[in-house]
Amino acid sequence: KQQKSYRSLCLPYKVYQMLEDAERNDQESIISYLPNDQGFRVHDPEIFTQDIMPHFFSSDKLSTFYRQLNLYGFKRIGQGPYTGGFYHPQLKRNQKQLLVNIKRKKQSVPQGDSNPKSNRNAVLKAMSVVERNRHLLQTKN
């Protein structure tokens, strides 16, 4: 059955739509909500990457999908009955309105890069080293 492409949606809406489509299209053996309706699990990674991901993502790599989940604050469940699943407190079955609360994490900026004064100091220090090396080369010749 041909499915609509959802590539333009942001990740939380893609995940929600994937889960809704899986329920509607009898694909819950591939991906489904966890029994507590507060997370999901990919049950068949091979079929998931071949049949479902292409409708939502340009990449068919599961690792890329998992990395994106991490960027949006989804936690991988490492133990217990839902091991291998993913959880986010704002992803719940039949509560699409909560998705607006799932935000992409800000990329961390290395220390000093956001401070113009420290950037200036780093540039001045590098220029000083270059000048010293130039001077040493001239005195050797």
Side-chain angles (χ1 to χ4, degrees):
K1 182 178 175 180
Q2 187 68 17
Q3 285 184 328
K4 180 179 173 182
S5 175
Y6 297 102
R7 288 185 180 181
S8 64
L9 297 175
C10 69
L11 185 91
Y13 290 89
K14 288 179 182 184
V15 171
Y16 187 87
Q17 193 62 54
M18 276 192 278
L19 292 163
E20 295 294 306
D21 288 357
E23 275 185 344
R24 195 172 26 264
N25 299 325
D26 198 30
Q27 294 175 315
E28 291 177 291
S29 62
I30 303 168
I31 184 173
S32 70
Y33 281 104
L34 295 175
N36 66 2
D37 293 339
Q38 295 187 2
F40 73 95
R41 184 162 187 236
V42 175
H43 305 286
D44 191 328
E46 187 175 335
I47 295 176
F48 177 73
T49 57
Q50 290 172 1
D51 295 349
I52 295 178
M53 280 186 66
H55 299 285
F56 295 89
F57 304 98
S58 54
S59 172
D60 63 353
K61 293 184 180 174
L62 197 58
S63 61
T64 301
F65 175 62
Y66 289 164
R67 192 174 315 112
Q68 287 291 312
L69 290 171
N70 184 43
L71 288 173
Y72 278 88
F74 284 81
K75 302 295 181 200
R76 186 152 196 174
I77 302 168
Q79 59 187 11
Y82 307 138
T83 300
F86 287 88
Y87 166 79
H88 193 289
Q90 300 298 319
L91 176 73
K92 297 180 181 178
R93 184 192 313 253
N94 299 323
Q95 295 191 38
K96 190 174 187 175
Q97 75 280 3
L98 296 177
L99 299 177
V100 71
N101 299 317
I102 302 177
K103 306 284 186 204
R104 185 179 168 125
K105 293 179 187 175
K106 301 276 187 228
Q107 296 291 340
S108 63
V109 176
Q111 206 54 301
D113 284 358
S114 63
N115 183 345
K117 193 171 188 175
S118 68
N119 283 343
R120 181 179 174 271
N121 291 340
V123 169
L124 290 174
K125 187 175 180 177
M127 288 173 60
S128 167
V129 170
V130 168
E131 184 59 33
R132 192 170 344 133
N133 288 340
R134 187 182 68 78
H135 179 71
L136 287 173
L137 286 172
Q138 284 178 344
T139 56
K140 285 186 178 180
N141 293 334

